[in-house]
Amino acid sequence: ALVIPVSSPTMADTVATAPTVELPSSSVVDAPKQKEKRAARADRRQKQALANLPTPCRPGRSQGGGGASPTARSAQQPQQRCHPGSLEDVMRRKGIDEAWSALEEMQDRGVTSDKFSVSRLLMKTVGDARSRLNAPRVYRGIGLVERFIEAQPTDVDEVLFNALLDTCCRLKDLPRLESIAYRMKELKVTPSPVTLGILVKTYGQAGDSQKVLQLWTDMDQQRRSANAVTYGCMIDACVKCGHLGKALEIFAEMKQEGKHKNTILYTTLIKGCGLEKDLPKALELFREMSAEGVPCNTITYNSILEACVKCNDLEAAEGIVQDMLSTACSVQPDLITFSTVLKGYCHSGCLDKALQMLDSIKGRGLHCDELVYN
């Protein structure tokens, strides 16, 4: 069985303890009251920290201890600014929900916040959700970030907008994404290659091939600066929209620029060839990976096996499985590997081979799921 190592938990943040205060012997009986007073004062200081801490790295604040006189400050009535680390400190000590509450309280009080902290807070919220998003929490975050943009329109950048766009992409909320993209254009925030990748990925998920191709054509500057990740988003979007030819065309352009040596790119194209039942091209790409020195992973092998099964070439599928089982191969087959070939045997009426494959699955200690039995 494939043993996946589990990373060890991260070390908790060290919390500094307050120095012990020795009370005179005559005050021992009042110690509990003094502790309560100290705790109350500390709590008040903590609540005021977000609003009162200066931000030397933000414009409008003096780096030294001087600055404008109290009279001048009163006349100018500047907005209060939050220390850049305050939100992240709340998030680290009390969690994401408390950090969003802190940001909301700051906005209610007219205290400006820091775009970098707000971006990280949103990305942390989505990242914590893993495969399943906590929609109410995420939408609350989106709303507060949009409120930040309206309150501080001159203090935004493409990183913040990309965090919003990527969040909408994960939620598959196309109307919200388009609204944010329009606001980004209104504020004249220049999109990056990352922006292009997020947009084509979202429209690819929606199956809007016309919008995918239009974005790829219109965002010429971002396309010319794109890396393998952005290209991968575009190729995946083309495959999802049934434009395998365009995906292969873009991949050919990447080859000319030497950007093509990527496992995910090859695997995506092999999947696309399988969907179009173009097994010769899928096998060509699979063999090309070895020639180009691009490593295969389990998903790559499972994708080429799926293509073989779709095209009813079980002999080719058996050969690939044998290669995986050889000592020379560093990639081990998983349940999907065996169940894909089993499915091919069943579709072809090879019941004896299907039952043998079932025995092989059990013999390797793999747990058969409902898909195998079905």
Side-chain angles (χ1 to χ4, degrees), residues 342-368:
L342 186 149
K343 179 176 65 176
Y345 287 144
C346 291
H347 287 171
S348 300
C350 302
L351 185 58
D352 289 340
K353 287 188 174 183
L355 291 173
Q356 289 175 9
M357 182 63 71
L358 180 62
D359 291 337
S360 297
I361 293 173
K362 294 178 179 178
R364 294 180 69 88
L366 297 172
H367 175 70
C368 296

Side-chain angles (χ1 to χ4, degrees), residues 240-290:
K240 281 186 168 66
C241 294
H243 285 275
L244 179 61
K246 182 64 176 179
L248 292 170
E249 177 187 324
I250 292 170
F251 188 66
E253 294 174 6
M254 294 185 70
K255 277 186 176 182
Q256 294 177 354
E257 300 177 13
K259 297 179 179 180
H260 67 291
K261 296 184 179 182
N262 182 283
T263 302
I264 297 175
L265 294 177
Y266 273 99
T267 302
T268 302
L269 288 171
I270 290 171
K271 284 182 180 178
C273 292
L275 292 172
E276 297 293 327
K277 295 187 177 182
D278 187 351
L279 184 57
K281 187 62 180 180
L283 291 170
E284 177 188 331
L285 289 165
F286 181 67
R287 294 173 184 133
E288 185 180 296
M289 291 180 72
S290 177

Side-chain angles (χ1 to χ4, degrees), residues 2 37 44-45 63 66 73 76 84 97 143 157 171 197 248 293 313 316 337 348:
L2 182 62
K37 291 180 179 179
R44 286 195 298 272
R45 285 196 297 270
Q63 294 286 348
R73 286 197 300 269
Q76 295 170 359
D97 290 330
D157 59 10
L171 290 167
L248 292 170
D313 193 339
T337 308
S348 300

Side-chain angles (χ1 to χ4, degrees), residues 127-303:
D128 270 6
R130 309 274 176 167
S131 57
R132 293 188 61 184
L133 292 176
N134 184 335
R137 171 193 281 179
V138 175
Y139 274 113
R140 181 196 182 199
I142 292 175
L144 289 171
V145 176
E146 289 176 332
R147 187 176 172 187
F148 166 84
I149 293 172
E150 294 308 312
Q152 299 172 234
T154 60
D155 191 25
V156 296
D157 59 10
E158 54 93 14
V159 175
L160 180 63
F161 273 103
N162 284 345
L164 274 171
L165 293 171
D166 183 62
T167 302
C168 293
C169 175
R170 291 168 184 258
L171 290 167
K172 298 183 179 180
D173 189 340
L174 191 54
R176 193 70 168 261
L177 175 134
E178 291 178 332
S179 172
I180 292 168
Y182 182 76
R183 185 62 175 143
M184 184 179 186
K185 186 177 181 180
E186 276 187 332
L187 295 176
K188 294 181 171 56
V189 177
T190 304
S192 68
V194 175
T195 314
L196 172 60
I198 294 170
L199 292 175
V200 296
K201 179 180 179 181
T202 308
Y203 285 107
Q205 288 177 168
D208 191 341
S209 59
Q210 182 178 356
K211 194 68 175 179
V212 168
L213 297 174
Q214 180 185 341
L215 283 166
W216 193 251
T217 301
D218 293 347
M219 299 181 70
D220 178 66
Q221 181 180 352
Q222 289 75 19
R223 187 180 73 246
R224 283 188 272 108
S225 304
N227 59 13
V229 176
T230 303
Y231 272 107
C233 291
M234 181 58 185
I235 289 175
D236 184 60
C238 290
V239 168
K240 281 186 168 66
C241 294
H243 285 275
L244 179 61
K246 182 64 176 179
L248 292 170
E249 177 187 324
I250 292 170
F251 188 66
E253 294 174 6
M254 294 185 70
K255 277 186 176 182
Q256 294 177 354
E257 300 177 13
K259 297 179 179 180
H260 67 291
K261 296 184 179 182
N262 182 283
T263 302
I264 297 175
L265 294 177
Y266 273 99
T267 302
T268 302
L269 288 171
I270 290 171
K271 284 182 180 178
C273 292
L275 292 172
E276 297 293 327
K277 295 187 177 182
D278 187 351
L279 184 57
K281 187 62 180 180
L283 291 170
E284 177 188 331
L285 289 165
F286 181 67
R287 294 173 184 133
E288 185 180 296
M289 291 180 72
S290 177
E292 293 282 356
V294 181
C296 296
N297 57 22
T298 308
I299 301 175
T300 308
Y301 275 100
N302 291 343
S303 299

Side-chain angles (χ1 to χ4, degrees), residues 15-23 35 38 45:
V15 181
T17 57
T20 305
V21 180
E22 297 183 1
L23 298 174
K35 289 182 180 178
R38 286 199 299 272
R45 285 196 297 270

